Amino acid sequence: MIKVGIAGAENPMAGELLRLCLRHPDVDIVSAYAGSLAGLSVGAFHHGFIGEENIVFSSNFDATNLDVAFIFNPLYSDSDWAKLMADRQNLRLIIFPGAESVATALPRTPVYGLSEMNRKPMVRGAREALVPDSIASPVLTALYPFASHLLLRGDLDINVEVPADMISDSALNKSEREIERELASVQASFLGKVRIHAKESAGPRAMKISMRLPSTVALEEILKAYDSVYDDHNFTFVVTHPVGPEEVESTNKIIISLSKPSSSEIDINIVADPRMRGGAGEAIHIMNLLLGLHEKTGLDLKTSAWMSPKVKGNGLK
């Protein structure tokens, strides 16, 4: 069994991750660290655990006996992380947005954990990976075939509908810079600016993204380009008809709908679950790849409905 620990298990996304870990046939949850909640049952804080295995928040985080550490909270000093990874050659680190400072302490640069772009590095010996941002993950998945064929030009205006807790100037700015950085790593000639225009989505698991790109390439040729990249991927699907977020809710899927409003433009519409892509589902996917498991292991069933932690003010309900 894969011994897993979570640093910062009080994070709302950690609740989703714990539910996925419970379902994963190869995972043993060794530690769910949340210092302020130590000794409390996870089910008293995160929804969906009544009747499941009783996991208790731990008061310490010892990564020396883990196979995989999911990091929401850096906890250790930079030098401690560097020493830990040098001493524990079998340990894998999966670093969530907000804990990126861990990456600066490591002797190797972590892989950007978007499998649609970087599956090969993850299955060929990588030990550390960054979980993509929830907006960046589907946007980059949709644009990677364009970038890999050197088809991007100019600035990108991206319309996004996401849950209200994901909308802030700092969060959106981070998403914009992440998308710019990763696109430029694929298409060096891409120097455009990314601008995200966000509004609140209809539900906590709904994310809809739309953009219009200049493109004189025929739709049939664009579909061939997508197929050449994603024909053997398990979570990305391309269609030519409209789809709604209900198609992806509680799954790790990204569905991309393509259409040509004119001979010189292409419309790209994307739906994904922001609690899974760029979140808990993506992290499990990364773990599977780092450890040589089939990428769908533990991700072939829907998770329970997203709900925020059971907190009101500073106490439990």
Side-chain angles (χ1 to χ4, degrees):
M1 296 292 282
I2 301 164
K3 295 180 179 179
V4 162
I6 300 173
E10 74 278 11
N11 188 293
M13 193 67 75
E16 193 81 355
L17 179 62
L18 282 162
R19 284 189 284 272
L20 289 172
C21 285
L22 275 177
R23 283 205 176 102
H24 198 291
D26 300 314
V27 163
D28 178 20
I29 302 171
V30 173
S31 175
Y33 170 80
S36 62
L37 301 173
L40 186 71
S41 170
V42 165
F45 188 78
H46 292 302
H47 292 272
F49 290 91
I50 295 174
E52 304 293 338
E53 179 183 340
N54 184 31
I55 304 168
V56 176
F57 288 114
S58 57
S59 60
N60 59 74
F61 184 76
D62 181 5
T64 59
N65 67 337
L66 298 178
D67 299 307
V68 176
F70 292 102
I71 311 298
F72 292 93
N73 182 337
L75 291 179
Y76 298 158
S77 69
D78 288 356
S79 59
D80 285 340
W81 279 117
K83 184 177 186 304
L84 178 66
M85 293 307 290
D87 293 343
R88 289 277 294 131
Q89 293 296 313
N90 292 326
L91 177 63
R92 304 292 187 270
L93 295 187
I94 299 174
I95 305 164
F96 277 83
E100 293 95 343
S101 61
V102 172
T104 64
L106 302 174
R108 298 164 299 276
T109 301
V111 174
Y112 184 69
L114 185 64
S115 72
E116 284 79 3
M117 290 175 61
N118 292 322
R119 184 166 63 179
K120 286 183 179 178
M122 285 192 278
V123 300
R124 293 179 178 176
R127 295 178 57 205
E128 306 94 354
L130 296 169
V131 178
D133 169 269
S134 289
I135 295 176
S137 175
V139 169
L140 288 168
T141 299
L143 292 179
Y144 177 60
F146 281 84
S148 63
H149 287 77
L150 308 180
L151 295 174
L152 292 178
R153 60 182 188 271
D155 297 342
L156 294 172
D157 284 286
I158 304 172
N159 301 305
V160 178
E161 295 181 30
V162 288
D165 63 308
M166 294 183 176
I167 300 175
S168 70
D169 289 342
S170 60
L172 295 177
N173 182 261
K174 179 181 180 298
S175 299
E176 290 168 345
R177 303 293 81 78
E178 188 170 321
I179 294 166
E180 289 173 357
R181 182 191 71 229
E182 296 303 320
L183 287 177
S185 73
V186 178
Q187 181 182 328
S189 61
F190 175 71
L191 302 174
K193 292 294 183 183
V194 171
R195 294 182 290 264
I196 295 176
H197 312 281
K199 66 178 182 178
E200 185 176 351
S201 63
R205 285 193 174 275
M207 177 163 56
K208 297 170 65 178
I209 300 170
S210 64
M211 49 190 145
R212 177 168 289 181
L213 274 60
S215 176
T216 57
V217 180
L219 181 59
E220 292 76 12
E221 294 303 312
I222 293 174
L223 289 170
K224 288 179 183 178
Y226 273 88
D227 187 59
S228 70
V229 176
Y230 295 141
D231 65 331
D232 63 343
H233 284 254
N234 286 282
F235 296 113
T236 299
F237 303 94
V238 180
V239 299
T240 56
H241 59 271
V243 292
E246 66 278 0
E247 294 289 344
V248 295
E249 186 177 273
S250 300
T251 77
N252 203 47
K253 296 177 184 178
I254 289 175
I255 300 181
I256 302 163
S257 176
L258 303 176
S259 61
K260 291 275 289 184
S262 72
S263 60
S264 60
E265 297 173 310
I266 186 164
D267 281 347
I268 303 174
N269 290 275
I270 314 159
V271 291
D273 183 332
R275 313 301 181 180
M276 293 290 285
R277 290 308 299 243
E282 195 113 53
I284 293 293
H285 189 185
I286 291 169
M287 179 188 73
N288 289 341
L289 294 173
L290 295 183
L291 294 176
L293 302 176
H294 189 281
E295 57 187 322
K296 290 187 72 175
T297 307
L299 292 171
D300 55 352
L301 294 176
K302 289 189 176 185
T303 59
S304 58
W306 169 268
M307 290 176 280
S308 59
K310 303 176 183 178
V311 292
K312 186 177 183 180
N314 293 322
L316 296 173
K317 288 183 180 178

Short mmCIF file of all heavy atoms in Angstrom, two decimals, residues 282-315:
data_model
loop_
_atom_site.label_atom_id
_atom_site.label_comp_id
_atom_site.label_asym_id
_atom_site.label_seq_id
_atom_site.Cartn_x
_atom_site.Cartn_y
_atom_site.Cartn_z
N GLU A 282 -6.74 16.15 -9.77
CA GLU A 282 -5.45 16.31 -10.47
C GLU A 282 -4.31 15.76 -9.61
O GLU A 282 -3.36 15.15 -10.11
CB GLU A 282 -5.22 17.78 -10.77
CG GLU A 282 -4.14 18.04 -11.78
CD GLU A 282 -4.69 18.61 -13.08
OE1 GLU A 282 -5.41 19.62 -13.03
OE2 GLU A 282 -4.39 18.05 -14.14
N ALA A 283 -4.40 15.99 -8.28
CA ALA A 283 -3.34 15.52 -7.38
C ALA A 283 -3.26 14.00 -7.36
O ALA A 283 -2.17 13.42 -7.36
CB ALA A 283 -3.58 16.06 -5.97
N ILE A 284 -4.41 13.33 -7.34
CA ILE A 284 -4.42 11.87 -7.38
C ILE A 284 -3.88 11.38 -8.72
O ILE A 284 -3.11 10.40 -8.78
CB ILE A 284 -5.84 11.33 -7.14
CG1 ILE A 284 -6.30 11.63 -5.71
CG2 ILE A 284 -5.90 9.82 -7.41
CD1 ILE A 284 -5.53 10.89 -4.63
N HIS A 285 -4.26 12.04 -9.79
CA HIS A 285 -3.76 11.69 -11.12
C HIS A 285 -2.23 11.79 -11.13
O HIS A 285 -1.53 10.89 -11.64
CB HIS A 285 -4.38 12.65 -12.14
CG HIS A 285 -4.12 12.27 -13.56
ND1 HIS A 285 -4.52 13.06 -14.61
CD2 HIS A 285 -3.50 11.20 -14.12
CE1 HIS A 285 -4.16 12.50 -15.76
NE2 HIS A 285 -3.55 11.36 -15.48
N ILE A 286 -1.69 12.88 -10.58
CA ILE A 286 -0.24 13.05 -10.51
C ILE A 286 0.39 11.91 -9.72
O ILE A 286 1.41 11.33 -10.14
CB ILE A 286 0.10 14.41 -9.87
CG1 ILE A 286 -0.30 15.55 -10.80
CG2 ILE A 286 1.58 14.49 -9.52
CD1 ILE A 286 -0.25 16.92 -10.15
N MET A 287 -0.17 11.58 -8.57
CA MET A 287 0.36 10.49 -7.75
C MET A 287 0.41 9.19 -8.55
O MET A 287 1.42 8.47 -8.52
CB MET A 287 -0.50 10.30 -6.49
CG MET A 287 -0.02 9.15 -5.60
SD MET A 287 -1.15 8.78 -4.24
CE MET A 287 -2.51 7.99 -5.13
N ASN A 288 -0.67 8.89 -9.24
CA ASN A 288 -0.70 7.66 -10.03
C ASN A 288 0.44 7.62 -11.05
O ASN A 288 1.10 6.59 -11.23
CB ASN A 288 -2.04 7.54 -10.76
CG ASN A 288 -3.20 7.23 -9.83
OD1 ASN A 288 -3.00 6.76 -8.71
ND2 ASN A 288 -4.42 7.49 -10.29
N LEU A 289 0.68 8.74 -11.71
CA LEU A 289 1.73 8.79 -12.72
C LEU A 289 3.12 8.69 -12.09
O LEU A 289 3.99 7.96 -12.60
CB LEU A 289 1.61 10.07 -13.54
CG LEU A 289 0.36 10.19 -14.41
CD1 LEU A 289 0.26 11.58 -15.03
CD2 LEU A 289 0.33 9.13 -15.50
N LEU A 290 3.34 9.38 -11.00
CA LEU A 290 4.65 9.34 -10.34
C LEU A 290 5.00 7.94 -9.86
O LEU A 290 6.18 7.56 -9.80
CB LEU A 290 4.69 10.32 -9.17
CG LEU A 290 4.58 11.81 -9.47
CD1 LEU A 290 4.71 12.63 -8.18
CD2 LEU A 290 5.62 12.26 -10.48
N LEU A 291 3.97 7.17 -9.49
CA LEU A 291 4.21 5.85 -8.92
C LEU A 291 3.97 4.71 -9.92
O LEU A 291 4.00 3.54 -9.55
CB LEU A 291 3.33 5.65 -7.68
CG LEU A 291 3.66 6.57 -6.51
CD1 LEU A 291 2.68 6.37 -5.37
CD2 LEU A 291 5.08 6.34 -6.01
N GLY A 292 3.74 5.04 -11.17
CA GLY A 292 3.61 4.01 -12.19
C GLY A 292 2.29 3.27 -12.18
O GLY A 292 2.20 2.17 -12.74
N LEU A 293 1.25 3.85 -11.60
CA LEU A 293 -0.08 3.24 -11.61
C LEU A 293 -0.83 3.67 -12.86
O LEU A 293 -0.48 4.67 -13.50
CB LEU A 293 -0.87 3.66 -10.37
CG LEU A 293 -0.24 3.34 -9.01
CD1 LEU A 293 -1.10 3.92 -7.89
CD2 LEU A 293 -0.06 1.84 -8.83
N HIS A 294 -1.89 2.95 -13.19
CA HIS A 294 -2.75 3.41 -14.28
C HIS A 294 -3.34 4.75 -13.86
O HIS A 294 -3.78 4.92 -12.72
CB HIS A 294 -3.86 2.41 -14.58
CG HIS A 294 -4.63 2.73 -15.82
ND1 HIS A 294 -5.61 3.71 -15.86
CD2 HIS A 294 -4.53 2.24 -17.08
CE1 HIS A 294 -6.10 3.77 -17.08
NE2 HIS A 294 -5.46 2.90 -17.85
N GLU A 295 -3.39 5.70 -14.80
CA GLU A 295 -3.74 7.06 -14.40
C GLU A 295 -5.18 7.19 -13.91
O GLU A 295 -5.50 8.15 -13.17
CB GLU A 295 -3.47 8.05 -15.52
CG GLU A 295 -4.16 7.77 -16.82
CD GLU A 295 -3.67 8.73 -17.92
OE1 GLU A 295 -3.43 9.92 -17.64
OE2 GLU A 295 -3.54 8.29 -19.07
N LYS A 296 -6.07 6.27 -14.23
CA LYS A 296 -7.45 6.38 -13.77
C LYS A 296 -7.70 5.70 -12.43
O LYS A 296 -8.81 5.77 -11.90
CB LYS A 296 -8.39 5.75 -14.82
CG LYS A 296 -8.51 6.56 -16.10
CD LYS A 296 -9.56 5.98 -17.02
CE LYS A 296 -10.98 6.23 -16.48
NZ LYS A 296 -12.02 5.78 -17.44
N THR A 297 -6.69 5.10 -11.83
CA THR A 297 -6.87 4.39 -10.57
C THR A 297 -7.41 5.34 -9.50
O THR A 297 -6.84 6.39 -9.24
CB THR A 297 -5.55 3.77 -10.07
OG1 THR A 297 -4.99 2.97 -11.11
CG2 THR A 297 -5.78 2.93 -8.83
N GLY A 298 -8.53 4.97 -8.92
CA GLY A 298 -9.14 5.80 -7.89
C GLY A 298 -9.90 6.98 -8.41
O GLY A 298 -10.47 7.76 -7.63
N LEU A 299 -9.99 7.14 -9.73
CA LEU A 299 -10.66 8.29 -10.33
C LEU A 299 -11.77 7.91 -11.30
O LEU A 299 -12.27 8.74 -12.03
CB LEU A 299 -9.64 9.17 -11.08
CG LEU A 299 -8.61 9.89 -10.20
CD1 LEU A 299 -7.54 10.53 -11.08
CD2 LEU A 299 -9.27 10.94 -9.33
N ASP A 300 -12.16 6.64 -11.27
CA ASP A 300 -13.17 6.20 -12.22
C ASP A 300 -14.58 6.28 -11.66
O ASP A 300 -15.54 5.97 -12.34
CB ASP A 300 -12.89 4.77 -12.70
CG ASP A 300 -12.74 3.79 -11.55
OD1 ASP A 300 -12.71 4.23 -10.39
OD2 ASP A 300 -12.65 2.57 -11.82
N LEU A 301 -14.72 6.73 -10.41
CA LEU A 301 -16.04 6.93 -9.82
C LEU A 301 -16.19 8.38 -9.40
O LEU A 301 -15.21 9.05 -9.05
CB LEU A 301 -16.23 6.03 -8.59
CG LEU A 301 -16.26 4.53 -8.86
CD1 LEU A 301 -16.35 3.78 -7.53
CD2 LEU A 301 -17.44 4.15 -9.74
N LYS A 302 -17.42 8.85 -9.39
CA LYS A 302 -17.65 10.22 -8.96
C LYS A 302 -17.40 10.36 -7.47
O LYS A 302 -17.69 9.45 -6.68
CB LYS A 302 -19.08 10.66 -9.29
CG LYS A 302 -19.33 10.87 -10.77
CD LYS A 302 -20.68 11.49 -11.00
CE LYS A 302 -20.90 11.80 -12.48
NZ LYS A 302 -22.15 12.52 -12.72
N THR A 303 -16.91 11.54 -7.07
CA THR A 303 -16.74 11.84 -5.65
C THR A 303 -18.06 12.33 -5.08
O THR A 303 -19.02 12.57 -5.80
CB THR A 303 -15.68 12.94 -5.46
OG1 THR A 303 -16.12 14.10 -6.18
CG2 THR A 303 -14.34 12.51 -6.00
N SER A 304 -18.10 12.50 -3.77
CA SER A 304 -19.31 13.04 -3.15
C SER A 304 -19.40 14.53 -3.44
O SER A 304 -18.43 15.17 -3.83
CB SER A 304 -19.27 12.80 -1.64
OG SER A 304 -18.13 13.39 -1.07
N ALA A 305 -20.59 15.11 -3.22
CA ALA A 305 -20.81 16.51 -3.54
C ALA A 305 -19.91 17.43 -2.72
O ALA A 305 -19.68 17.19 -1.54
CB ALA A 305 -22.27 16.86 -3.31
N TRP A 306 -19.42 18.46 -3.38
CA TRP A 306 -18.54 19.42 -2.70
C TRP A 306 -19.32 20.22 -1.67
O TRP A 306 -20.38 20.76 -1.94
CB TRP A 306 -17.93 20.39 -3.71
CG TRP A 306 -17.24 21.55 -3.06
CD1 TRP A 306 -17.80 22.76 -2.76
CD2 TRP A 306 -15.89 21.60 -2.61
NE1 TRP A 306 -16.86 23.57 -2.17
CE2 TRP A 306 -15.69 22.89 -2.07
CE3 TRP A 306 -14.84 20.69 -2.64
CZ2 TRP A 306 -14.46 23.28 -1.55
CZ3 TRP A 306 -13.63 21.09 -2.12
CH2 TRP A 306 -13.44 22.36 -1.59
N MET A 307 -18.79 20.30 -0.47
CA MET A 307 -19.31 21.19 0.55
C MET A 307 -18.12 21.74 1.32
O MET A 307 -17.12 21.07 1.51
CB MET A 307 -20.25 20.45 1.51
CG MET A 307 -21.57 20.05 0.87
SD MET A 307 -22.62 19.09 1.96
CE MET A 307 -21.87 17.47 1.77
N SER A 308 -18.24 22.98 1.76
CA SER A 308 -17.17 23.59 2.53
C SER A 308 -17.09 22.94 3.90
O SER A 308 -18.02 22.26 4.34
CB SER A 308 -17.42 25.09 2.68
OG SER A 308 -18.65 25.32 3.34
N PRO A 309 -15.96 23.11 4.62
CA PRO A 309 -15.84 22.53 5.96
C PRO A 309 -16.95 22.98 6.90
O PRO A 309 -17.54 24.04 6.73
CB PRO A 309 -14.47 23.02 6.43
CG PRO A 309 -13.72 23.30 5.18
CD PRO A 309 -14.75 23.82 4.21
N LYS A 310 -17.19 22.17 7.90
CA LYS A 310 -18.26 22.45 8.87
C LYS A 310 -17.78 23.46 9.92
O LYS A 310 -17.64 23.15 11.10
CB LYS A 310 -18.68 21.17 9.59
CG LYS A 310 -19.16 20.06 8.67
CD LYS A 310 -19.45 18.82 9.51
CE LYS A 310 -19.86 17.66 8.67
NZ LYS A 310 -20.09 16.45 9.48
N VAL A 311 -17.52 24.65 9.47
CA VAL A 311 -17.03 25.67 10.40
C VAL A 311 -17.92 26.89 10.37
O VAL A 311 -18.49 27.23 9.35
CB VAL A 311 -15.58 26.08 10.09
CG1 VAL A 311 -14.63 24.95 10.37
CG2 VAL A 311 -15.43 26.54 8.65
N LYS A 312 -18.04 27.50 11.49
CA LYS A 312 -18.79 28.73 11.61
C LYS A 312 -18.01 29.63 12.55
O LYS A 312 -17.83 29.30 13.73
CB LYS A 312 -20.19 28.48 12.15
CG LYS A 312 -21.07 29.73 12.16
CD LYS A 312 -22.48 29.38 12.63
CE LYS A 312 -23.37 30.61 12.58
NZ LYS A 312 -24.74 30.30 13.03
N GLY A 313 -17.47 30.73 12.02
CA GLY A 313 -16.58 31.53 12.83
C GLY A 313 -15.30 30.75 13.10
O GLY A 313 -14.69 30.22 12.20
N ASN A 314 -14.95 30.63 14.37
CA ASN A 314 -13.74 29.89 14.74
C ASN A 314 -14.05 28.52 15.33
O ASN A 314 -13.16 27.85 15.83
CB ASN A 314 -12.92 30.70 15.75
CG ASN A 314 -12.36 31.97 15.12
OD1 ASN A 314 -11.97 31.94 13.97
ND2 ASN A 314 -12.36 33.05 15.87
N GLY A 315 -15.28 28.13 15.30
CA GLY A 315 -15.63 26.86 15.91
C GLY A 315 -16.41 25.96 15.03
O GLY A 315 -16.79 26.33 13.92
#
